[in-house]
Amino acid sequence: MSSNSFAYNEQSGGGEATELGQEATSTISPSGAFGLFSSDMKKNEDLKQMLESNKDSAKLDAMKRIVGMIAKGKNASELFPAVVKNVASKNIEIKKLVYVYLVRYAEEQQDLALLSISTFQRALKVNGRDPNQLIRASALRVLSSIRVPIIVPIMMLAIKEASADLSPYVRKNAAHAIQKLYSLDPEQKEMLIEIIEKLLKDKSTLVAGSVVMAFEEVCPDRIDLIHKNYRKLCNLLVDVEEWGQVVIIHMLTRYARTQFVSPWKEGDGLEDNEKDFYDSDEEQKEKADKRKRPYTMDPDHRLLIRNTKPLLQSRNAAVVMAVAQLYWHIAPKSEAGIISKSLVRLLRSNREVQYIVLQNIATMSIQRKGMFEPYLKSFYVRSTDPTMIKILKLEILTNLANEANISTLLREFQTYVKSQDKQFAAATIQTIGRCATSITEVSDTCLNGLVCLLSNRDEIVVAESVVVIKKLLQMQPIQHGEIIKHMAKLLDSITVPVARASILWLIGENCERVPKIAPDVLRKTAKSFTSEDDLVKLQILNLGAKLYLTNSKQTKLLTQYILNLGKYDQNYDIRDRTRFIRQLIVPNEKSGALSKYAKKIFLAQKPAPLLESPFKDRDHFQLGTLSHTLNTKATGYLELSNWPEVAPDPSVRNVEVIELAKEWTPAGKAKKENPDEKFYSESEEEEDSSESSSDSESASGSESGEDEEEDHSGDSGEDSGESGSESEAGKGRAAKHAKARGKGDSKDVDKEKENSKSSESSSGESSSIEESSSDSESESESESESESRTITKAKEKKTKQDRNPLTKDVSLLDLDDFNPVSSPVVLPTPALSPSLIADLEGLNLSATSSVISVSTPVFVPGKTHVLLHRMSGKGLAAHYFFPRQPCIFGDKMVSVQITLNNTTDQKIENIHVGGKKLPMGMQMHVFNPIESLEPAGSITVSVGIDFCDSTQTASFQLCTKDDCFSVNIQPPVGELLLPVAMSEKDFKKEQGMLSGMNETSTTIIAAPQNFASSVILQKVVNVANVGVVPSGQDNVHRFAAKTVHSGSLMLVTVELKEGSTAQLIINTEKTVIGSVLLRELKPVLSQG
């Protein structure tokens, strides 16, 4: 032990734990080794002293060294007491490292680990909760990692408290801890299910994936927990992290197979027809009606398929594979074809991903060849592919082979047979044999080709060819006597046992067709019997028995000689076979009744072998699972249930959104029947006192409520119908409240202006926050006011029987459902909007907005971008450019002009925008559908996109009558701006306010001629839509703009220095956009 310890320390260069040093020094002479180990002791003593130090830097350094020791596999357990003392440190970095250490050694030193549990509890408890969410989450993670059964109740309490934490990150870790606790103590299942049920209602995308994983581990059979959360999970799916998306998709696949009827309805099978014979006329009529009734997909079923479709474009291969298996298992067969392109895209990934994807494609291609036939060339084998990938691609090519493409594939296979990879060449020969059996038109061609391969120099190729030919000849032996003779001649040269055995079997089966050759083959093999492989010996015995029964005159003595050799063979299988054959074919006193039927037994007609794909029996496993890959049921595999014949009640997935909305909807405060009394009601004082709070609640609530209601109404037709009828019925009350608020606001406009100005002058950052919130509130008020006014006018025109407004109650949510395009029509009505809008425009810019105004663009670049290439669009081409004009669809939108060209010789009909996949907050106003576009015709349309001051891509589908094409618009950062006219004095003032963190700069080096005023002006306005600010200095050029969405100022300064350098400065609150613009301007200004 001591010598080993010494050697280990010598190799690792010190840093060992103290106890090893003490052991070594007690047994080894102290001359040289003692100094080495005393230094180790000193190091660990130093660590203890550093951990007890008052300085956080020393403690942090010590913890880093200790964790480094653990990473190298060294024992640091003796430092446990010193480390545990620092578990309550206020330094986050120290705490994190202490937690890492505790997770490593908690199980080894349970008693000491239990001492630190109080700290974790304190960090998680409501009263003494740590303010940092990372610490709370880490405390829970460590607590759940201590695998000590005695603390199960403490873990349970901690998980309960964490599941109610305000931070979604902590709640996510609570979901992770549920699985750990369940594996430690399965008896806690019922209590854990309650927590899972609570977390499933969580609306955070951060929590969704983790809690579904906990659900799958703890209670995958409790489908009832998913009902109410089904639609929410479907709608959150796109925003969940990739790991969570995979888990949720697999769970929803299982859910769909239990809750919806099969979308694969086809004609009834024979069983139904047989039953019909015994059915009465009425029963037959009912069945006939049921068959005629068209299949209608459940809206929730459609919701899942629709919401997972965008994930086929995910960069994560696991997500794409999960969506593919979902479409395969639950989508209509006509729609499952879209997954093929995404799966083929994954074949560009690394070989491990290719292997899994190809296995799944191989299973799919057996049942639905048409899905992958267009991508046949993607499965051609490359020389750089590893053998496992090559064989899988061969499997898929075989599955996709048909009369149309077999000639191309056979030419491809001819090349593969010549491969240096012998395993691959052998697999190719088997593939040719399968093609010959499945496509009868090429059977002879394949057989002739395989016969040609018999003269190949490579033994493995010849042997495999013999085996495949044997299988093919079993199907039609009469026609191919010459091939059998040719193979008999090859017996002398072939040495591979399987091939020799195959030839012998073929000759034995057809011994009556080749009566001269068969006895001679038996003679030759009898000479080499003792040196043959066991497999060949068995076939020699079989051949001898068959010839004894059919041609005993020539082969009787030869067969007896072979039977005598087999009687004393070393292999017991051969000895048993010899005794069996002797008793069967050589009659004697001891022979039983079977000897009479010897000829029927040996020369019976054998069924032809069925050459099937090895992936044929894998389809009962769910695609993309470990069980499917291994072709055996793995631990934890959850089987997909069969489709129910009758769908369960869909109402279990309904969630009442409107009732929740009534709790915070301000419309509930005004319930007077008479419309004339709505301005001066008795509750006016109460409304005034709570006006600010109700306004903020309505502003925040209307957004979330609208989203929820839209999702809910989109889920099923019944729900949308109910919400629609209720929205019509409730416009009266909404109109009342909107008018009341409108009048109250008109009196307080001046006060709001004064308050906003004073807040702006106090601080820049706080004013921007207040401005954005007040801006959104005021805009929502003005919109709801104008909309309610039109609704009230429409109601006045109705007949007397419709005057009662109480029968039409609904929240103000429905007012937000109006199309924003109609807002220009409503705005001209007389209202308080002029002053309010002027105030809002001022708030949007800055504190000195009175002297800053939007100007016309200095320059409009004519550069266009390709939106849809004519090859990809099947003749429909699309280009887009930014005209730098104010958008007519909304003041926060960027105007984009799209030019559509028909390059075909046929008319393209119904061009429109289909599904949109926009990042959070981004909005898009689409163009009206184009009925038709003539051949060689062109049309330009406008769209408006609110990019939310970011360069994120707006993805949507450009559709025609027959096809849909996925397209993207990504704005250059310079097109997210509007030019601003301002004086030099205002520019300097604003620049002074936007200094420090809001300023980015860089140095530009270029030739002097590139720094001419006209050149700089042209280059800057070409990149960005900015306005020119007059400058009193020749060496300083100033440009100003504001962002389209938020109205934040963007100030650009180019200051020429001595020589050939200049400084580029950008001042803006939007630092991200500023830095991107800086990166784009620098190379443009530097180049000649």
Side-chain angles (χ1 to χ4, degrees), residues 671-962:
K671 294 187 178 181
K672 300 294 178 181
E673 293 186 7
N674 191 353
D676 298 331
E677 296 175 4
K678 58 184 171 243
F679 289 104
Y680 303 101
S681 63
E682 294 178 358
S683 60
E684 186 175 3
E685 294 178 10
E686 295 176 8
E687 288 182 7
D688 290 340
S689 63
S690 60
E691 186 177 9
S692 59
S693 63
S694 66
D695 285 351
S696 61
E697 286 177 4
S698 65
S700 61
S702 61
E703 294 175 4
S704 61
E706 181 182 353
D707 293 341
E708 289 178 10
E709 199 159 18
E710 283 178 0
D711 294 341
H712 186 67
S713 62
D715 291 344
S716 66
E718 295 175 4
D719 299 340
S720 62
E722 291 171 8
S723 62
S725 62
E726 288 185 13
S727 66
E728 289 178 6
K731 291 175 182 174
R733 185 175 63 181
K736 284 192 221 172
H737 182 72
K739 281 197 174 184
R741 282 178 55 190
K743 190 152 187 177
D745 290 343
S746 64
K747 296 177 181 179
D748 297 333
V749 170
D750 298 330
K751 291 181 181 179
E752 288 178 3
K753 285 184 181 179
E754 292 173 6
N755 293 337
S756 62
K757 286 181 180 177
S758 63
S759 63
E760 285 166 5
S761 60
S762 62
S763 66
E765 290 184 3
S766 62
S767 67
S768 65
I769 298 169
E770 292 169 4
E771 284 160 16
S772 60
S773 62
S774 63
D775 182 13
S776 61
E777 287 180 11
S778 304
E779 283 184 358
S780 64
E781 289 170 8
S782 61
E783 285 178 12
S784 62
E785 176 195 31
S786 57
E787 288 167 353
S788 63
R789 189 175 293 108
T790 55
I791 294 166
T792 310
K793 286 180 180 179
K795 285 174 67 178
E796 288 173 358
K797 295 177 182 178
K798 289 187 177 182
T799 57
K800 293 180 180 180
Q801 59 185 0
D802 295 327
R803 285 181 183 174
N804 187 3
L806 279 180
T807 59
K808 304 178 179 181
D809 282 351
V810 81
S811 65
L812 275 173
L813 288 173
D814 297 298
L815 293 178
D816 295 331
D817 292 337
F818 281 84
N819 193 339
V821 185
S822 62
S823 57
V825 181
V826 183
L827 284 175
T829 57
L832 55 106
S833 53
S835 60
L836 188 59
I837 288 173
D839 186 29
L840 291 174
E841 285 181 353
L843 287 172
N844 274 338
L845 294 174
S846 67
T848 58
S849 59
S850 58
V851 290
I852 299 173
S853 59
V854 177
S855 61
T856 56
V858 178
F859 174 74
V860 179
K863 183 182 178 182
T864 60
H865 310 268
V866 177
L867 182 65
L868 179 65
H869 194 272
R870 61 184 178 84
M871 299 297 291
S872 306
K874 298 182 179 179
L876 177 64
H879 297 77
Y880 68 93
F881 82 103
F882 298 89
R884 294 189 175 180
Q885 296 174 357
C887 185
I888 60 172
F889 306 117
D891 56 353
K892 294 186 179 183
M893 290 187 172
V894 176
S895 182
V896 185
Q897 288 193 2
I898 301 175
T899 303
L900 303 167
N901 297 298
N902 182 0
T903 61
T904 66
D905 54 359
Q906 296 179 350
K907 185 163 59 173
I908 299 178
E909 297 181 348
N910 191 19
I911 304 174
H912 63 283
V913 173
K916 293 178 284 187
K917 183 183 177 185
L918 304 175
M920 186 72 73
M922 192 179 289
Q923 295 180 352
M924 178 178 179
H925 186 280
V926 302
F927 59 87
N928 293 327
I930 300 167
E931 291 183 4
S932 63
L933 187 60
E934 297 297 327
S938 175
I939 188 171
T940 301
V941 293
S942 294
V943 299
I945 306 176
D946 182 359
F947 289 103
C948 298
D949 291 346
S950 72
T951 55
Q952 294 185 79
T953 303
S955 302
F956 58 95
Q957 286 190 323
L958 190 61
C959 301
T960 63
K961 182 181 179 182
D962 303 316

Side-chain angles (χ1 to χ4, degrees), residues 217-286:
E217 290 288 329
V218 178
C219 53
D221 53 333
R222 288 289 304 273
I223 295 292
D224 56 295
L225 299 179
I226 304 297
H227 290 323
K228 296 289 183 185
N229 303 292
Y230 172 81
R231 293 170 186 164
K232 182 195 72 178
L233 288 172
C234 289
N235 291 316
L236 289 182
L237 196 55
V238 180
D239 300 316
V240 176
E241 81 276 5
E242 294 166 342
W243 174 83
Q245 286 174 342
V246 175
V247 175
I248 294 173
I249 290 170
H250 277 280
M251 186 274 293
L252 291 178
T253 305
R254 287 195 308 108
Y255 179 87
R257 286 292 286 258
T258 62
Q259 299 300 310
F260 309 125
V261 294
S262 172
W264 310 328
K265 290 290 181 184
E266 295 176 356
D268 293 327
L270 291 173
E271 294 179 6
D272 293 339
N273 294 335
E274 289 170 4
K275 290 176 185 175
D276 287 348
F277 181 78
Y278 300 99
D279 289 344
S280 65
D281 294 340
E282 292 180 1
E283 289 174 341
Q284 286 187 2
K285 190 175 181 182
E286 286 178 8

Side-chain angles (χ1 to χ4, degrees), residues 329-385:
H329 290 300
I330 73 166
K333 292 182 179 179
S334 59
E335 297 179 24
I338 64 168
I339 66 174
S340 52
K341 187 175 183 180
S342 301
L343 290 176
V344 170
R345 174 172 63 86
L346 295 183
L347 298 182
R348 302 170 189 163
S349 307
N350 54 57
R351 57 180 62 182
E352 292 79 12
V353 173
Q354 285 185 54
Y355 181 73
I356 299 298
V357 172
L358 286 170
Q359 276 200 325
N360 287 277
I361 292 176
T363 302
M364 295 181 195
S365 59
I366 294 172
Q367 294 184 21
R368 305 180 196 171
K369 291 185 178 182
M371 282 175 58
F372 296 97
E373 278 180 359
Y375 307 100
L376 187 70
K377 291 185 179 179
S378 300
F379 303 110
Y380 284 176
V381 175
R382 297 192 179 102
S383 58
T384 54
D385 288 336

